[in-house]
Amino acid sequence: MAKRRVVVTGLGTVNPMGHTVDEFWSALMAGRSGIRRIQRFGTAAFTSKIGGEVLNWEMPGSDLLDAREGKRMDRFCQFAVVCAIEAVRDSGIEFAKEDVDRCGVIYGSGIGGLQELEDQHTRMMEKGPSRVSPFTVPKLMANAACGTISIIWKLRGPNQAVVTACASAGNSIGEALRCIQRDECDVMITGGSEAALTQIGLASFCALRGLSTRNDDPERASRPWDKDRDGFLLSEGAGALVLEELDHAKARGARIYAELIGYGSSGDGYHITAPDPDGNGAVLAMRRSLKDAELAPEQVQYVNAHGTSTELGDLAETKAIKKAFGAYATNGLMVSSTKSAHGHLLGASGAVEAIVCLKSLVDGVIPATFNLDNPSDDCDLDYVPKTHRQDKVDVMLSNSFGFGGHNACLIFKRFNG
């Protein structure tokens, strides 16, 4: 049986560069950075004092959600729900008119409700175990986002939480694609959310020595592939997509952003935090996505790279792209990392970067890698440095790689009917 075709009809995001897709995209196209001094808590004792913080955040009121329910969510779940609401409204779908048994949610988070865990631990230490909130478990569990989103619209299709570190959103979108292709459902809300920019979150990544300490120049601190890169920037936020079976979307006259045509996943089988230095797991995921999309490597014009700005990760991904794309990798393929602007949103990264790809396809632009002044000697691809390019391409691939050796690759294609 032929695979059912799947398209993207709705987008939503909250991230350090904006509280909506339009705000985010405008900031990115204007060359603005979402990296700044952290304001939510004091950072004097931390080696890294900068990150991608969602500023001026309050859970907005909605006709879909009681205000009290919003207060009973951890920050990561609030981000997820608000993004999902934006994406559903953007899609124009009315679930009251849909068969909700065929509408589902797959939504990822690498860590879940870390702020709630931190807050309740403090409360227990100061006031005793009897004062711990009864909402602690439903607030901190990583599946709170997908559960809450399904409850809002009473969706009874597939409902899953994916936890694969920084590949969580990429895997979520890919598994949602599979659900529609297999005719298990017609509509899926998918993506990822993260809010690990807390004191324990920042301290933990500082202890790993993975974060940039360019504290006096935050906007230029994330510099993928640059000789002077010194680590990634911890960020927070979420992204959501509405996926639909093509005929279903056409029947209701939906606006279509692009078609999702390929998904590949793999494991490194190498190390719990370090990438395979030869990029072999990433190569497998990219090749599997190309096979799934029935494409030759030369048919992909742009790769939105994982590109975190770490010495090991950037080099491993460069090697992987060269292996997956052969000679074409250094002779025509464009590669960039928008983490140079918004930082690393961990389990939400794949969704936010999928939105970048989708908006890029629609607007005919290749987003730049900011802050790339002097590429490392072994990093020799076309990384689209500093300035966006106007280029109406047809196919884009997005990479997401996570601790534990998780790899997820998605391929989007311009929709031509």
Side-chain angles (χ1 to χ4, degrees):
M1 184 178 72
K3 290 187 295 189
R4 304 170 86 215
R5 294 173 66 185
V6 179
V7 294
V8 182
T9 58
L11 305 176
T13 190
V14 171
N15 66 60
M17 299 174 69
H19 289 192
T20 65
V21 170
D22 287 346
E23 287 180 5
F24 167 52
W25 189 244
S26 295
L28 185 63
M29 291 298 98
R32 294 196 295 273
S33 173
I35 306 302
R36 56 187 71 86
R37 281 269 181 162
I38 295 167
Q39 299 179 22
R40 289 183 63 213
F41 52 86
T43 58
F46 294 83
T47 54
S48 182
K49 309 173 191 301
I50 55 180
E53 188 175 11
V54 175
L55 297 180
N56 306 314
W57 176 255
E58 286 188 23
M59 182 72 177
S62 170
D63 57 336
L64 295 171
L65 196 68
D66 187 280
R68 293 172 299 177
E69 291 301 313
K71 293 178 181 178
R72 293 173 181 170
M73 299 177 194
D74 183 86
R75 189 175 174 94
F76 99 98
C77 190
Q78 292 180 351
F79 291 159
V81 167
V82 169
C83 288
I85 291 172
E86 181 186 6
V88 169
R89 287 177 172 164
D90 184 46
S91 75
I93 196 164
E94 298 180 56
F95 286 117
K97 298 179 180 179
E98 297 291 330
D99 179 356
V100 293
D101 291 357
R102 293 186 59 82
C103 302
V105 184
I106 299 183
Y107 212 92
S109 180
I111 297 174
L114 190 59
Q115 185 64 64
E116 177 65 11
L117 183 60
E118 189 174 310
D119 290 346
Q120 294 305 319
H121 179 266
T122 299
R123 190 171 183 175
M124 184 178 71
M125 291 295 99
E126 293 177 351
K127 300 181 179 181
S130 65
R131 299 300 299 276
V132 169
S133 169
F135 298 107
T136 300
V137 170
K139 287 180 74 172
L140 66 82
M141 60 191 191
N143 62 307
C146 64
T148 302
I149 291 167
S150 70
I151 291 165
I152 290 172
W153 288 286
K154 299 179 174 58
L155 309 182
R156 294 197 295 264
N159 189 273
Q160 300 167 23
V162 174
V163 181
T164 50
C166 307
S168 297
N171 283 134
S172 294
I173 295 167
E175 295 305 318
L177 165 72
R178 292 283 186 259
C179 286
I180 298 176
Q181 287 178 331
R182 294 192 297 257
D183 200 15
E184 294 176 14
C185 55
D186 300 313
V187 182
M188 292 293 292
I189 302 171
T190 185
S193 183
E194 205 77 84
L197 196 56
T198 70
Q199 293 186 72
I200 191 64
L202 183 63
S204 299
F205 282 107
C206 284
L208 280 174
R209 298 183 180 179
L211 297 181
S212 171
T213 57
R214 195 185 289 262
N215 297 312
D216 295 331
D217 194 10
E219 293 187 359
R220 292 179 55 78
S222 182
R223 31 195 332 110
W225 301 294
D226 193 85
K227 286 182 179 179
D228 294 326
R229 67 191 185 277
D230 70 331
F232 71 92
L233 276 301
L234 184 60
S235 294
E236 62 179 0
L241 284 66
V242 174
L243 305 185
E244 286 188 62
E245 190 274 328
L246 175 59
D247 289 338
H248 183 279
K250 283 183 172 181
R252 66 179 189 85
R255 181 269 317 279
I256 293 172
Y257 283 99
E259 188 171 359
L260 177 53
I261 61 171
Y263 167 53
S265 65
S266 70
D268 280 355
Y270 177 75
H271 192 272
I272 198 67
T273 56
D276 179 337
D278 294 320
N280 292 321
V283 173
L284 276 175
M286 284 187 272
R287 285 177 175 167
R288 286 168 179 167
S289 69
L290 289 166
K291 182 179 180 180
D292 188 44
E294 300 179 353
L295 294 178
E298 295 78 11
Q299 291 176 278
V300 175
Q301 292 104 3
Y302 167 69
V303 173
N304 185 285
H306 188 60
T308 60
S309 188
T310 63
E311 184 176 356
L312 294 178
D314 289 359
L315 180 56
E317 186 170 14
T318 295
K319 289 180 179 178
I321 291 171
K322 287 181 178 180
K323 290 180 180 179
F325 288 90
Y328 173 59
T330 54
N331 187 29
L333 182 66
M334 293 177 284
V335 179
S336 73
S337 172
T338 54
K339 287 186 179 71
S340 56
H342 53 68
H344 194 353
L345 285 89
L346 307 183
S349 292
V352 173
E353 290 157 21
I355 290 169
V356 170
C357 289
L358 291 157
K359 292 288 289 182
S360 296
L361 281 169
V362 171
D363 289 2
V365 63
I366 304 299
T369 301
F370 296 168
N371 307 322
L372 181 52
D373 298 326
N374 299 294
S376 292
D377 293 338
D378 294 325
C379 296
D380 55 353
L381 304 179
D382 177 4
Y383 300 115
V384 194
K386 297 184 179 181
T387 305
H388 308 308
R389 291 182 194 163
Q390 295 299 316
D391 197 336
K392 190 175 181 179
V393 305
D394 292 317
V395 182
M396 296 183 172
L397 182 150
S398 183
N399 282 335
S400 297
F401 309 140
F403 280 3
H406 305 284
N407 306 299
C409 300
L410 302 168
I411 298 181
F412 297 96
K413 181 181 179 181
R414 179 182 301 281
F415 182 70
N416 295 313

